[in-house]
Amino acid sequence: MGGKMTTDTGIEFADTPDFRKKIRAWLEDNCPADMRDGASGEGANCWGGRNWVFSSEGQRTWLERCAAVGLTVPTWPKAYGGAGLSRDQEKILKEEMAAIGARSPLNSFGIWMLGPALLKFGTEAQKQEFLPPIARGEIRWCQGYSEPGAGSDLAGVQTRAEDKGDHWLVNGQKIWTSYADKADWIFALLRTDRDAPKHKGISFVLMDMRSEGISTRPIRLISGASPFCETFFDDVKAPKEQVVGEVNRGWDVAKYLLTHEREMISAGGQVMGSGRALGAVLANSETGLSDPVLRADAMRTEVDALAMELTLERYKDQAEGGQGVGDASAMLKYAGTELNKRRLELVMAAAGSEALNWEDGRAPTWLRTKANSIEGGTSEVMLSIISRRILGLGA
Amino acid sequence: MAKLIQTEEETMLQDAARALLDNSAPVSRLRALRDAGQTRDDALWQEMVAAGWAGILVPEAAGGVDMGHAAAHVLAREMGKTLTVSPFLSTAVIAVSVLRQLQDSRSQAALKAIAEGAHTYALALDEGAKFNPDRIELKAEKRGNGYVLNGEKRFVVDGGTADRVLVLAQSDDGLCLFDLAADREGLTRSSTDMIDSRDAADLTFENVELSGDELLGAAGDGASLLRFGLEAGQAALAAETTGLAQAAFGMTTDYLKERKQFGVPIASFQALQHRAAHLWCELELTSSAILHVGRMLDLDPGNATLAVSLAKARATDTAQLAVREGVQMHGGIGMTDAYDMGFYMKRARVAAEWLGDYGYHAAQVARMRGF
Ligand SMILES: Cc1cc2nc3c(=O)[nH]c(=O)nc-3n(C[C@H](O)[C@H](O)[C@H](O)COP(=O)(O)OP(=O)(O)OC[C@H]3O[C@@H](n4cnc5c(N)ncnc54)[C@H](O)[C@@H]3O)c2cc1C
């Protein structure tokens, strides 16, 4: 890693008056043929990182070309590897990518979660060091929040970091750490003051997963995959400058990051599963059109899905130029993930016995959606956030 | 497409509307009208006319302010919040959206009369218990230059008090839309005692003789002329219903904070908190659909059908949930006539049926989404 600037300043998108035309031409010239199949979801994703094995030469080329002009993180500032696009321009970019079925060149927790938090809370040196490698897909991050004893009650984390003068000494255990076994670095919530009230003694710390004393053990999911792990810290030394924000004020960073995570999970629902229009799913199924109960459920779900799509758009419009949607991300996450679960239930019901074998691929997706309303804060926790912070209902 | 955020202009209009309505049409006004057995509030309507609301969609050339559908939705939503009794939807939205499509001088004069507050309108469409604009049996028989109407219309909203009626009839040339005075000979209006305390009537046409001038557009144009009027009306009704839902929700959360049981505010019970939070999410989703349909009707009216049905379906569903939860979370007081929540519940039921219920609009959405 280093301070090398990534964005090739030879191509200027941000201030182009004829942005759509220019981006369309660029995509046409640069997006490899096998990256135009419209595929999305976990299998089609390029997560990047030191150990990433590209699924094809096209996937590699696509990542490199996008990274060179800042299009892996289009709205980040150019100084940190982005393209400096406005939200309107990003919208156009997405439309143009969708028009040719272009895959997303890179998705990662660095882009979705850590990046926004560093942009807001990081020091200039931290931004310079950590953001460009995320944008280039060189470093893959994982999220060390949850612990066996601290799930919904996240501020109860006990993994501790002791001040040893020139470094922190970290001991404890995280759990449900997605892709910890594949990640290069981890951002973690650690207890740095055991005497302070629980929200006031937590720090947000970055650690290299190669550090001595870090080990991981994969956990198998009901969907058959094992993308998450237990992560153990045994006398791990973390340099002092790897705290983001103030020491003991990590909860602020953690919460801010969660609002981004929740928005991402919510929007993810829109692309997960078998496309958006349930009608097509039903039309292709044996019972879909003749079963009135299924059909009625699907109609309701379709109505709600369209309203959800507009709501995501509305909140993005509102947040433009601002700092994200804040507490309302709880609404987006709750509504989006519950909807996505309904959608995949319908997909399974419409498919009947055809979807009951592992090869078919629908069952793992269906099972995976069950996690949407758990990860990043459960639906119940989202409802509590809404009722307390937005509606002012409380004791 | 324009952003899904209320513009500054719309916010100013909202504030002005709120001020007018809080002063002249709080819910107590509906209660007073109900107690007096009245379904028409002329003084309030004239106030709205003076404020330009009757002409919100009327072109400037015909004396209107021509602010567009999104603006009309702002007004409808504010009216919904306090259950305002007015012919706004029938007249300023539906009739105007029909008449605006015609360039002839009589239509221009009709628009002018609406903007000036000289005429109110009702749309006579339904013949059965459910909205079904494709099944029209009321007969228009050609006679000389004109027509003779025979048949019946039901659930004609504002039909008991409106000055004029738009009526959709079947002729040998297809569907025809007529614009006639409500006091025409042969037209009998019998007002229904509605649960929402507003005006609706059954209309009987017995050899009602019309001149050719009273036919809007050409013979056979009825369905296409009415289509945009219906879409505009459905969208505005969705906005009204959403306002209703927001207000019912506001009353409910206020009550949760105020009412104490077991020594604590009932707002501290998580079972209620989560239901309130869920309802708020539903309101947020529906508000997006309302903002969207306003933009669509103003910027791309030829392609607004999906947005219209989405808005009407969502608004209907959300309002029903809001009033059900509203009554339940108030306990016994929610069931009393003295408390306003019942008015909200009854209006939500009528609004759900008018211009197509949830099933009708969800089916429209499904059809357009490839079901
Ligand atoms: C697929 C997947 C990936 C994940 N990835 C990561 C990751 O990368 N990094 C990471 O740090 N974590 C990750 N998580 C963990 C996730 O954030 C936690 O599982 C989640 O926060 C819930 O915590 P918990 O599992 O301890 O459940 P608990 O908190 O024990 O909850 C159990 C049940 O009790 C309910 N409940 C708890 N408290 C309340 C309350 N106050 N009121 C009402 N109901 C309540 C919950 O809603 C839930 O239904 C992942 C989880 C999943 C499923």
Side-chain angles (χ1 to χ4, degrees):
Chain A
M1 278 191 280
K4 186 180 139 247
M5 304 270 270
T6 43
T7 309
D8 179 346
T9 44
I11 300 183
E12 185 63 53
F13 288 119
D15 304 318
T16 311
D18 211 351
F19 179 75
R20 188 183 290 277
K21 224 163 140 188
K22 184 148 187 190
I23 205 78
R24 183 179 297 170
W26 187 88
L27 289 169
E28 196 47 55
D29 291 345
N30 288 282
C31 186
D34 67 337
M35 292 291 109
R36 297 186 187 201
D37 59 359
S40 63
E42 240 140 320
N45 230 349
C46 173
W47 290 95
R50 291 177 193 137
N51 307 315
W52 184 250
V53 181
F54 288 98
S55 64
S56 71
E57 206 35 48
Q59 192 183 53
R60 176 201 299 276
T61 312
W62 185 220
L63 171 61
E64 286 172 359
R65 288 180 181 165
C66 286
V69 294
L71 290 183
T72 52
V73 283
T75 58
W76 289 13
K78 289 188 200 164
Y80 310 125
L85 301 192
S86 68
R87 146 120 175 92
D88 281 344
Q89 288 174 322
E90 186 197 21
K91 225 162 137 180
I92 292 171
L93 169 67
K94 282 201 177 129
E95 284 164 15
E96 291 300 321
M97 285 176 70
I100 63 164
R103 291 194 195 181
S104 169
L106 179 68
N107 290 304
S108 72
F109 292 0
I111 294 177
W112 292 326
M113 303 182 207
L114 182 63
L118 278 178
L119 284 168
K120 186 172 166 75
F121 293 95
T123 61
E124 186 54 36
Q126 286 171 336
K127 292 180 199 174
Q128 289 290 350
E129 180 175 359
F130 295 112
L131 292 174
I134 292 174
R136 290 190 299 255
E138 290 165 0
I139 292 297
R140 181 172 179 182
W141 287 84
C142 63
Q143 177 187 34
Y145 274 29
S146 307
E147 296 180 6
S152 298
D153 185 13
L154 181 60
V157 288
Q158 293 303 329
T159 298
R160 65 175 198 281
E162 282 171 86
D163 190 340
K164 292 289 178 188
D166 62 336
H167 66 271
W168 298 103
L169 190 66
V170 182
N171 279 289
Q173 184 199 340
K174 296 288 173 183
I175 196 167
W176 322 128
T177 327
S178 294
Y179 307 112
D181 52 342
K182 309 215 165 54
D184 306 309
W185 279 65
I186 186 169
F187 51 91
L189 293 184
L190 304 177
R191 181 136 320 266
T192 38
D193 185 345
R194 281 197 276 180
D195 301 324
K198 65 180 180 180
H199 294 92
K200 304 240 162 80
I202 297 170
S203 298
F204 189 101
V205 181
L206 311 177
M207 283 172 280
D208 191 328
M209 289 296 278
R210 292 180 302 198
S211 311
E212 204 171 321
I214 298 187
S215 58
T216 60
R217 190 192 301 155
I219 306 168
R220 193 164 175 208
L221 281 169
I222 55 174
S223 54
S226 52
F228 61 16
C229 299
E230 290 176 283
T231 307
F232 302 94
F233 301 85
D234 186 10
D235 281 340
V236 177
K237 289 181 183 168
K240 272 292 179 61
E241 64 273 16
Q242 284 170 200
V243 171
V244 179
E246 282 172 50
V247 172
N248 291 329
R249 300 299 301 273
W251 187 245
D252 296 341
V253 185
K255 271 196 309 187
Y256 179 76
L257 184 146
L258 278 171
T259 64
H260 283 271
E261 177 178 5
R262 287 167 187 160
E263 268 179 76
M264 181 276 293
I265 295 173
S266 171
Q270 303 299 307
V271 291
M272 281 192 69
S274 313
R276 290 183 311 187
L278 273 172
V281 174
L282 288 186
N284 292 334
S285 76
E286 232 171 86
T287 57
L289 294 176
S290 57
D291 176 344
V293 176
L294 187 60
R295 195 173 155 77
D297 272 359
M299 281 162 130
R300 268 191 180 278
T301 306
E302 188 70 12
V303 166
D304 295 347
L306 287 168
M308 183 68 214
E309 220 174 281
L310 290 170
T311 303
L312 283 167
E313 192 178 328
R314 177 159 74 90
Y315 271 75
K316 280 196 191 152
D317 284 346
Q318 277 176 9
E320 187 175 8
Q323 294 286 358
V325 306
D327 289 337
S329 64
M331 181 275 292
L332 297 178
K333 185 183 186 270
Y334 167 69
T337 59
E338 292 298 333
L339 185 64
N340 204 33
K341 288 196 294 183
R342 276 164 64 193
R343 188 203 309 270
L344 267 294
E345 285 295 336
L346 285 166
V347 167
M348 290 301 284
S353 62
E354 274 177 24
L356 299 181
N357 63 81
W358 287 114
E359 284 95 299
D360 176 80
R362 279 173 283 196
T365 306
W366 161 66
L367 288 163
R368 181 62 182 82
T369 59
K370 301 304 178 201
N372 296 159
S373 53
I374 299 172
E375 59 199 332
T378 67
S379 282
E380 291 75 19
V381 167
M382 295 305 102
L383 290 173
S384 290
I385 290 175
I386 293 163
S387 52
R388 293 215 204 93
R389 296 209 206 127
I390 297 176
L391 304 180
L393 304 175
Chain B
M1 185 56 59
K3 290 197 192 333
L4 292 175
I5 314 176
Q6 188 164 298
T7 62
E8 255 171 61
E9 203 184 17
E10 286 162 1
T11 302
M12 278 163 57
L13 181 66
Q14 175 183 344
D15 294 344
R18 200 61 268 147
L20 188 156
L21 293 167
D22 281 342
N23 184 52
S24 304
V27 186
S28 56
R29 180 70 193 146
L30 167 68
R31 183 181 292 278
L33 289 168
R34 195 264 322 246
D35 292 346
Q38 285 171 16
T39 56
R40 180 171 167 151
D41 192 342
D42 282 329
L44 175 64
W45 180 239
Q46 288 311 322
E47 228 186 302
M48 292 183 179
V49 169
W53 297 7
I56 190 102
L57 294 175
V58 173
E60 286 175 17
V65 290
D66 204 9
M67 287 176 72
H69 293 272
H73 296 174
V74 169
L75 298 180
R77 192 184 63 208
E78 294 309 314
M79 291 188 222
K81 286 181 185 168
T82 37
L83 305 176
T84 305
V85 176
S86 92
F88 178 76
L89 253 71
S90 307
T91 303
V93 177
I94 299 175
V96 168
S97 297
V98 168
L99 292 165
R100 258 196 92 128
Q101 300 171 75
L102 298 160
Q103 306 308 324
D104 57 283
S105 58
R106 72 161 300 295
S107 299
Q108 294 307 305
L111 287 169
K112 197 153 185 292
I114 290 176
E116 283 170 351
H119 286 158
T120 63
Y121 273 81
L123 171 66
L125 177 64
D126 290 3
E127 296 180 7
K130 281 287 178 183
F131 177 76
N132 186 353
D134 296 331
R135 208 210 62 193
I136 298 300
E137 281 168 9
L138 187 135
K139 256 197 138 53
E141 249 177 297
K142 194 135 195 114
R143 187 170 304 167
N145 266 343
Y147 290 86
V148 177
L149 301 191
N150 275 293
E152 284 174 21
K153 292 289 185 183
R154 290 208 219 166
F155 188 28
V156 179
V157 170
D158 296 323
T161 59
D163 305 310
R164 300 190 67 83
V165 183
L166 291 182
V167 54
L168 190 64
Q170 197 67 253
S171 78
D172 287 342
D173 300 318
L175 289 169
C176 294
L177 192 60
F178 298 96
D179 174 357
L180 59 141
D183 57 4
R184 183 62 58 89
E185 200 174 323
L187 169 53
T188 319
R189 313 195 271 173
S190 68
S191 291
T192 354
D193 191 9
M194 299 293 287
I195 57 172
D196 67 345
S197 311
R198 298 209 204 172
D199 179 15
D202 292 342
L203 269 52
T204 308
F205 293 78
E206 227 183 312
N207 293 320
V208 177
E209 293 181 19
L210 301 181
S211 73
D213 201 34
E214 286 165 306
L215 171 68
L216 294 179
D221 281 357
S224 70
L225 266 178
L226 188 56
R227 191 185 134 183
F228 191 66
L230 280 177
E231 290 190 353
Q234 287 155 343
L237 180 58
E240 183 201 310
T241 312
T242 302
L244 178 157
Q246 286 168 340
F249 176 69
M251 285 168 70
T252 305
T253 50
D254 284 350
Y255 190 72
L256 294 182
K257 292 175 195 174
E258 165 196 320
R259 168 75 174 165
K260 282 192 175 157
Q261 282 295 281
F262 301 96
V264 292
I266 56 174
S268 62
F269 302 137
Q270 196 185 58
L272 299 185
Q273 289 176 353
H274 283 193
R275 276 162 56 188
H278 172 79
L279 176 51
W280 183 75
C281 293
E282 294 290 317
L283 279 165
E284 284 297 293
L285 262 62
T286 298
S287 300
S288 309
I290 300 296
L291 272 169
H292 177 63
V293 74
R295 303 286 180 265
M296 286 298 289
L297 286 171
D298 285 333
L299 301 175
D300 193 7
N303 292 308
T305 311
L306 176 63
V308 167
S309 281
L310 177 64
K312 179 67 165 78
R314 279 289 318 180
T316 300
D317 212 32
T318 304
Q320 308 273 49
L321 181 65
V323 297
R324 281 198 309 268
E325 291 290 58
V327 168
Q328 179 65 22
M329 292 196 213
H330 275 83
I333 200 168
M335 288 299 296
T336 61
D337 182 72
Y339 202 75
D340 289 340
M341 189 57 79
F343 284 134
Y344 285 83
M345 179 169 264
K346 289 175 275 192
R347 175 59 186 168
R349 185 88 272 298
V350 174
E353 289 299 326
W354 191 24
L355 304 176
D357 67 359
Y358 182 86
Y360 176 87
H361 288 287
Q364 291 274 92
V365 169
R367 189 176 52 71
M368 282 175 278
R369 296 284 288 178
F371 278 49

Short mmCIF file of all heavy atoms in Angstrom, two decimals, chain A residues 192-212:
data_model
loop_
_atom_site.label_atom_id
_atom_site.label_comp_id
_atom_site.label_asym_id
_atom_site.label_seq_id
_atom_site.Cartn_x
_atom_site.Cartn_y
_atom_site.Cartn_z
N THR A 192 -11.84 -0.26 24.85
CA THR A 192 -10.60 0.38 25.27
C THR A 192 -10.72 1.00 26.65
O THR A 192 -9.73 1.47 27.22
CB THR A 192 -10.16 1.47 24.25
OG1 THR A 192 -11.32 2.16 23.77
CG2 THR A 192 -9.45 0.84 23.06
N ASP A 193 -11.95 1.05 27.18
CA ASP A 193 -12.11 1.52 28.56
C ASP A 193 -13.20 0.69 29.22
O ASP A 193 -14.38 0.82 28.88
CB ASP A 193 -12.48 3.02 28.58
CG ASP A 193 -12.54 3.56 30.01
OD1 ASP A 193 -12.58 2.74 30.96
OD2 ASP A 193 -12.56 4.80 30.16
N ARG A 194 -12.81 -0.15 30.15
CA ARG A 194 -13.78 -1.08 30.75
C ARG A 194 -14.58 -0.43 31.87
O ARG A 194 -15.59 -0.98 32.31
CB ARG A 194 -13.05 -2.32 31.27
CG ARG A 194 -12.75 -3.26 30.11
CD ARG A 194 -12.43 -4.64 30.61
NE ARG A 194 -11.03 -4.74 30.98
CZ ARG A 194 -10.47 -5.85 31.46
NH1 ARG A 194 -11.22 -6.92 31.66
NH2 ARG A 194 -9.19 -5.88 31.75
N ASP A 195 -14.16 0.76 32.32
CA ASP A 195 -14.85 1.40 33.43
C ASP A 195 -15.91 2.40 32.95
O ASP A 195 -16.80 2.77 33.69
CB ASP A 195 -13.84 2.13 34.33
CG ASP A 195 -12.81 1.14 34.86
OD1 ASP A 195 -13.22 -0.01 35.14
OD2 ASP A 195 -11.63 1.51 34.97
N ALA A 196 -15.77 2.82 31.70
CA ALA A 196 -16.71 3.82 31.17
C ALA A 196 -18.05 3.15 30.86
O ALA A 196 -18.12 1.93 30.72
CB ALA A 196 -16.14 4.45 29.91
N PRO A 197 -19.14 3.95 30.78
CA PRO A 197 -20.43 3.40 30.32
C PRO A 197 -20.22 2.73 28.96
O PRO A 197 -19.36 3.17 28.20
CB PRO A 197 -21.32 4.63 30.18
CG PRO A 197 -20.68 5.69 31.00
CD PRO A 197 -19.22 5.40 31.05
N LYS A 198 -21.02 1.68 28.68
CA LYS A 198 -20.62 0.79 27.58
C LYS A 198 -20.44 1.48 26.23
O LYS A 198 -19.56 1.11 25.46
CB LYS A 198 -21.56 -0.41 27.48
CG LYS A 198 -22.98 -0.11 27.11
CD LYS A 198 -23.77 -1.43 27.04
CE LYS A 198 -25.22 -1.17 26.67
NZ LYS A 198 -25.99 -2.40 26.59
N HIS A 199 -21.24 2.51 25.92
CA HIS A 199 -21.07 3.18 24.62
C HIS A 199 -19.82 4.07 24.58
O HIS A 199 -19.39 4.50 23.53
CB HIS A 199 -22.28 4.07 24.31
CG HIS A 199 -23.54 3.29 24.12
ND1 HIS A 199 -24.42 3.02 25.15
CD2 HIS A 199 -24.08 2.73 23.03
CE1 HIS A 199 -25.43 2.30 24.70
NE2 HIS A 199 -25.26 2.11 23.41
N LYS A 200 -19.28 4.37 25.75
CA LYS A 200 -18.21 5.38 25.80
C LYS A 200 -16.81 4.80 25.97
O LYS A 200 -15.86 5.54 26.20
CB LYS A 200 -18.50 6.36 26.95
CG LYS A 200 -19.86 7.02 26.83
CD LYS A 200 -19.72 8.52 26.74
CE LYS A 200 -20.96 9.19 26.20
NZ LYS A 200 -22.02 9.38 27.21
N GLY A 201 -16.73 3.46 25.91
CA GLY A 201 -15.41 2.86 26.08
C GLY A 201 -14.99 1.99 24.91
O GLY A 201 -14.22 1.05 25.07
N ILE A 202 -15.51 2.32 23.73
CA ILE A 202 -15.25 1.50 22.55
C ILE A 202 -14.42 2.30 21.54
O ILE A 202 -14.68 3.49 21.34
CB ILE A 202 -16.58 1.10 21.88
CG1 ILE A 202 -17.42 0.23 22.83
CG2 ILE A 202 -16.35 0.37 20.56
CD1 ILE A 202 -18.85 0.00 22.36
N SER A 203 -13.47 1.64 20.90
CA SER A 203 -12.71 2.31 19.83
C SER A 203 -12.82 1.52 18.54
O SER A 203 -13.01 0.30 18.56
CB SER A 203 -11.24 2.47 20.23
OG SER A 203 -11.16 3.28 21.38
N PHE A 204 -12.68 2.23 17.46
CA PHE A 204 -12.81 1.66 16.13
C PHE A 204 -11.39 1.46 15.58
O PHE A 204 -10.70 2.43 15.30
CB PHE A 204 -13.61 2.63 15.26
CG PHE A 204 -14.02 2.09 13.91
CD1 PHE A 204 -15.32 1.62 13.70
CD2 PHE A 204 -13.14 2.09 12.84
CE1 PHE A 204 -15.71 1.16 12.45
CE2 PHE A 204 -13.52 1.60 11.60
CZ PHE A 204 -14.81 1.14 11.40
N VAL A 205 -10.98 0.20 15.45
CA VAL A 205 -9.57 -0.09 15.18
C VAL A 205 -9.41 -0.90 13.89
O VAL A 205 -10.19 -1.82 13.62
CB VAL A 205 -8.96 -0.89 16.36
CG1 VAL A 205 -7.48 -1.19 16.11
CG2 VAL A 205 -9.14 -0.12 17.67
N LEU A 206 -8.38 -0.55 13.12
CA LEU A 206 -8.08 -1.26 11.88
C LEU A 206 -6.90 -2.21 12.11
O LEU A 206 -5.91 -1.82 12.72
CB LEU A 206 -7.69 -0.25 10.78
CG LEU A 206 -8.63 0.95 10.60
CD1 LEU A 206 -8.09 1.89 9.53
CD2 LEU A 206 -10.04 0.49 10.24
N MET A 207 -7.03 -3.45 11.62
CA MET A 207 -5.93 -4.40 11.81
C MET A 207 -5.69 -5.22 10.56
O MET A 207 -6.65 -5.62 9.89
CB MET A 207 -6.26 -5.36 12.97
CG MET A 207 -6.08 -4.74 14.34
SD MET A 207 -6.69 -5.83 15.65
CE MET A 207 -8.43 -5.51 15.55
N ASP A 208 -4.42 -5.47 10.30
CA ASP A 208 -4.03 -6.35 9.20
C ASP A 208 -4.32 -7.79 9.63
O ASP A 208 -3.90 -8.20 10.72
CB ASP A 208 -2.54 -6.15 8.91
CG ASP A 208 -2.13 -6.83 7.60
OD1 ASP A 208 -2.72 -7.88 7.25
OD2 ASP A 208 -1.21 -6.30 6.94
N MET A 209 -5.03 -8.53 8.81
CA MET A 209 -5.37 -9.90 9.18
C MET A 209 -4.14 -10.80 9.24
O MET A 209 -4.20 -11.91 9.76
CB MET A 209 -6.42 -10.49 8.21
CG MET A 209 -7.81 -9.88 8.33
SD MET A 209 -8.61 -10.18 9.93
CE MET A 209 -9.25 -11.84 9.69
N ARG A 210 -3.02 -10.32 8.69
CA ARG A 210 -1.78 -11.12 8.78
C ARG A 210 -1.07 -10.92 10.11
O ARG A 210 -0.06 -11.56 10.39
CB ARG A 210 -0.83 -10.76 7.63
CG ARG A 210 -1.36 -11.19 6.26
CD ARG A 210 -0.42 -10.83 5.15
NE ARG A 210 -0.14 -9.39 5.10
CZ ARG A 210 0.36 -8.77 4.03
NH1 ARG A 210 0.66 -9.45 2.93
NH2 ARG A 210 0.59 -7.48 4.06
N SER A 211 -1.60 -10.01 10.92
CA SER A 211 -0.96 -9.76 12.22
C SER A 211 -0.87 -11.05 13.02
O SER A 211 -1.79 -11.87 12.98
CB SER A 211 -1.78 -8.76 13.05
OG SER A 211 -2.13 -7.64 12.30
N GLU A 212 0.22 -11.17 13.73
CA GLU A 212 0.39 -12.37 14.56
C GLU A 212 -0.70 -12.41 15.63
O GLU A 212 -1.00 -11.39 16.25
CB GLU A 212 1.77 -12.33 15.22
CG GLU A 212 2.25 -13.70 15.60
CD GLU A 212 3.70 -13.68 16.04
OE1 GLU A 212 4.49 -12.93 15.41
OE2 GLU A 212 4.02 -14.38 17.01
#
